[in-house]
Amino acid sequence: MAAEPVWSVDPRTGKPREQVAVEATAEDVDRSVRAAYAVREALADRPVRAAFLRTAADLLQEAGEQIVETADAETALGPARLNGELARTAAQLRAFAEVVEEGSFLDIRIDLPDPGAIPPRPDLRRWKIPLGVVAVYAASNFPLAFSVPGGDTASALAAGCPVVVKAHPDHPATSELCAALLRRAAAKAGLPEDVVVLVHGFDAGVALVRHPLVAAAGFTGSVRGGRALFDAAAARPVPIPFHGELGSLNPVVLTLAAVEERAEAIGAGLAGSMTLGAGQFCTKPGFVLAPSGEAGDRFVEALAEALRDTEPAVMLDHRMRGSFLTRTYEMTMSDGVTAPVHPAPAGPHTVKAGLITVTVRTLVDGDHRDLTEECFGPVTVVARYDSRTEITEALARVPGNLTATLHIAEQGQDEDAAALLAELTPLAGRVLVNGWPTGVAVAAAQHHGGPYPATTSTATSVGATAIERWLRPVTYQSTPDHLLPPELRDGNPLGLPRH
């Protein structure tokens, strides 16, 4: 049976651009994983790892024009957005190089022996070591920052783990180009190229998570696809950690004082956030609680007006476009649900942004679960509340999220702000006040994760601590100094941070 071709497709036309690869067979996946596994010890040298990451960032930026042109042809995200994403991707790689050099991620802890303690304490020296080969599943909506050269890959390599990436079918040519650059960077840094390996195909993705030499996996995508891989990872004879980002509604609560103060500004801001990248950001605000009454009406009208003025958008592929149109049509057909701005086709390849409204009473009393589940694309649901109690009732319907946002009065005191912030905190990994969640800063204090289904673990996939997903702690007890790893020896010969 011939291998299935992998085509690069233009979402603006739906037509194939070129064949860039073939789907990996089970044998191909096995060879790829074994190749990565065979070179894992080469990543043990921290200075070499750091140099590799910086070289990768340099090569990506040197090839920036070609990368952006290819990615735009496959995703229709536009040069401005993709140039920004490329800069972010390079910055992530350089940031992890700094993490590797600084060394705190090793979390070295030393307890010297104390025979007088009860019970007596031996010499204990703890640090963290890499798990092994990591499977990375590229995201559709970020062809660079959450795909082949993205945060999962960068953090795994920084931890000392070789990576096998399963390319996303929406941008295979971009994936091939970036993988080739990462492999070239490895060679320039004196590492084997197989510290990064790329495979294509749905079946390859399933075989990858089941491979006995794969030690962990990172995924960004849908709840359905991610949950299937998560279950497969848990069902293995030896289960492995699966760090999946599966879906997020990203609720927003607007207080009455906030909309009385700046209804029009909030409406315009929400429109910009929910349509960014054709509404295909994992942090898109998809559910908004707004007060009933005149101020709330002004907010809804400002939002609707801004959405009517938004240009039609090309989604990442025609399958997603079809799912968006079907899903939003079904949402608007429910009893008590209205659409001041109908999500609709704007031609054979584009969609118009939409706004769906409902009262909290209708939402809570009726069967409207679909209104509190993520809908990928440029649409948001505004639920109008009549009382503080209804905010609580509505939030009880909301699953775990990457973000939760609270808009309060900027002038003077908003009396319920503290209580609402406390109510939103259990729902998300990042809580914002008077801002919008689209845009995730790469920083040490960042957390991009949240309660299920936002993520399947408590870890972050953005920021310095994303490296922790690919490490495990080991303690050496009463071990002679010359047998210890240099990082744990007396005198701290490598000058690393220690507790």
Side-chain angles (χ1 to χ4, degrees):
M1 182 174 167
E4 290 293 322
V6 174
W7 289 91
S8 172
V9 177
D10 184 347
R12 293 182 175 95
T13 64
K15 295 179 179 179
R17 298 175 57 247
E18 59 177 334
Q19 181 182 340
V20 298
V22 294
E23 293 189 358
T25 64
E27 292 77 16
D28 294 331
V29 172
D30 181 58
R31 279 193 295 271
S32 296
V33 174
R34 290 185 184 280
Y37 183 81
V39 301
R40 67 195 186 283
E41 295 300 331
L43 285 167
D45 190 311
R46 287 188 305 109
V48 171
R49 291 209 307 269
F52 166 37
L53 293 168
R54 288 197 177 94
T55 302
D58 292 342
L59 292 183
L60 287 166
Q61 291 194 301
E62 288 170 13
E65 186 175 342
Q66 183 185 4
I67 291 171
V68 168
E69 181 181 349
T70 304
D72 181 51
E74 292 189 305
T75 66
L77 290 172
R81 149 71 192 274
L82 290 166
N83 273 302
E85 189 178 334
L86 178 61
R88 172 205 174 101
T89 303
Q92 283 181 156
L93 288 160
R94 294 189 179 105
F96 278 114
E98 293 179 6
V99 169
V100 171
E101 288 178 332
E102 190 270 340
S104 292
F105 75 98
L106 295 169
D107 196 22
I108 297 172
R109 297 172 182 268
I110 296 178
D111 281 312
L112 298 175
D114 184 357
I118 302 176
R121 186 178 69 221
D123 185 281
L124 299 170
R125 304 188 181 217
R126 181 184 188 270
W127 71 324
K128 290 182 177 179
I129 64 172
L131 291 174
V133 177
V134 171
V136 170
Y137 294 82
S140 63
N141 55 344
F142 282 86
L144 303 174
F146 283 85
S147 291
V148 174
D152 284 354
T153 297
S155 58
L157 292 170
C161 297
V163 170
V164 180
V165 185
K166 194 289 226 181
H168 195 280
D170 279 352
H171 37 78
T174 308
S175 299
E176 286 284 341
L177 175 56
C178 291
L181 290 167
L182 291 182
R183 289 169 65 86
R184 199 167 113 213
K188 287 188 73 169
L191 291 168
E193 290 186 345
D194 285 339
V195 294
V196 177
V197 185
L198 182 69
V199 297
H200 296 265
F202 175 84
D203 291 341
V206 176
L208 189 56
V209 80
R210 291 175 174 165
H211 197 286
L213 295 182
V214 167
F219 171 91
T220 302
S222 69
V223 173
R224 182 180 177 185
R227 183 55 194 258
L229 291 170
F230 180 40
D231 291 346
R236 292 168 39 133
V238 178
I240 59 172
F242 183 90
H243 302 284
E245 182 188 318
L246 309 189
S248 186
L249 190 62
N250 305 302
V252 178
V253 174
L254 312 178
T255 67
L256 177 59
V259 292
E260 285 179 338
E261 180 184 81
R262 57 186 197 285
E264 291 75 16
I266 293 174
L270 174 58
S273 181
M274 60 164 280
T275 59
L276 191 63
Q280 297 168 123
F281 274 43
C282 50
T283 52
K284 180 202 76 175
F287 181 74
V288 182
L289 287 166
S292 301
E294 184 271 336
D297 292 344
R298 285 193 290 115
F299 154 73
V300 171
E301 183 49 43
L303 173 59
E305 183 178 350
L307 292 177
R308 293 186 193 105
D309 291 339
T310 301
E311 291 294 317
V314 177
M315 296 189 68
L316 290 163
D317 63 38
H318 281 58
R319 177 185 58 82
M320 291 183 188
R321 176 181 178 274
S323 296
F324 170 76
L325 293 172
T326 299
R327 174 82 189 280
T328 53
Y329 173 79
E330 291 171 350
M331 292 164 73
T332 59
M333 290 298 101
S334 300
D335 290 341
V337 177
T338 60
V341 183
H342 271 276
H349 310 295
T350 55
V351 296
K352 294 179 180 178
L355 166 62
I356 295 170
T357 59
V358 67
T359 66
V360 169
R361 196 74 272 133
T362 298
L363 178 76
V364 171
D365 293 342
D367 183 18
H368 294 293
R369 286 188 298 271
D370 60 336
L371 299 182
T372 52
E373 295 173 353
E374 182 186 27
C375 181
F376 199 66
V379 68
T380 199
V381 173
V382 174
R384 307 290 297 274
Y385 64 86
D386 288 322
S387 66
R388 174 65 176 81
T389 301
E390 287 193 345
I391 296 177
T392 298
E393 289 182 275
L395 291 178
R397 297 283 183 111
V398 173
N401 295 272
L402 295 169
T403 74
T405 300
L406 176 64
H407 276 266
I408 60 176
E410 293 178 341
Q411 307 296 324
Q413 291 292 322
D414 203 326
E415 293 181 359
D416 206 25
L420 285 169
L421 198 65
E423 198 165 334
L424 287 172
T425 297
L427 297 178
R430 178 163 58 105
V431 183
L432 300 87
V433 177
N434 290 353
W436 298 108
T438 39
V440 184
V442 180
Q446 185 59 270
H447 188 82
H448 190 64
Y452 185 86
T455 49
T456 60
S457 73
T458 59
T460 178
S461 62
V462 178
T465 54
I467 196 173
E468 295 173 0
R469 297 174 295 169
W470 321 120
L471 300 161
R472 70 176 181 88
V474 174
T475 293
Y476 290 91
Q477 179 172 326
S478 303
T479 303
D481 196 62
H482 71 281
L483 294 180
L484 288 168
E487 290 83 355
L488 300 182
R489 290 178 187 169
D490 288 340
N492 195 6
L494 300 182
L496 292 167
R498 293 178 165 188
H499 298 280

